[in-house]
Amino acid sequence: MTDFIPQNPLETALVAALAPTGNFNDFLKTFVQSVVYAPSATDVAKDPSNFRPVLFDKNGEPHMLVYTARDRADAVAHVGPFVSSLSVSQILNAMPTGTGLIVNPDLSASFSMGATGLQRLALSVQRPAT
């Protein structure tokens, strides 16, 4: 695995959160306000309702692949040649029940969240803690 060189503020925050002294919960606050890049098997510019994300099976649960920088999505261009920028809040609101998320698969600055974790994250965004 090659070194991960951050390309934007979201990636810088992710690297900091994954460090031994990092705070991943603080990172999630930044993450939900960010934009990520989702590869699709179909051209959503022509028909947004035809979005077909790249899915990966993780322990029997489908996970949608997203990336924190546009050019990183080229890693799966063979199955998802069309890339859409989506806000994480859009993803949280539209994610089908039972689907998780993998951010930056196969990179050193990556993480995944199962369907239950995504549901909790979506609820925390809808009802912020007081």
Side-chain angles (χ1 to χ4, degrees):
M1 204 173 290
T2 61
D3 287 336
F4 185 91
I5 300 170
Q7 297 181 15
N8 56 47
L10 175 60
E11 292 189 342
T12 300
L14 176 57
V15 169
L18 294 173
T21 58
N23 186 324
F24 198 76
N25 287 331
D26 282 349
F27 166 75
L28 287 176
K29 294 172 189 172
T30 299
F31 181 66
V32 298
Q33 297 175 16
S34 298
V35 170
V36 292
Y37 301 88
S40 174
T42 56
D43 187 356
V44 292
K46 293 179 181 177
D47 182 5
S49 67
N50 202 25
F51 178 63
R52 298 293 178 261
V54 175
L55 298 175
F56 177 81
D57 179 73
K58 185 172 181 183
N59 301 322
E61 181 178 76
H63 281 60
M64 184 171 108
L65 304 184
V66 298
Y67 294 85
T68 52
R70 165 60 188 91
D71 66 323
R72 296 191 192 283
D74 291 342
V76 294
H78 59 288
V79 292
F82 305 99
V83 179
S84 295
S85 59
L86 300 170
S87 71
V88 173
S89 61
Q90 281 179 295
I91 292 170
L92 292 174
N93 290 327
M95 187 67 81
T97 302
T99 303
L101 191 69
I102 298 177
V103 179
N104 294 337
D106 295 329
L107 297 174
S108 60
S110 66
F111 69 96
S112 65
M113 191 174 286
T116 301
L118 278 182
Q119 288 174 335
R120 286 185 190 137
L121 185 60
L123 287 173
S124 75
V125 171
Q126 293 170 2
R127 291 181 293 206
T130 55

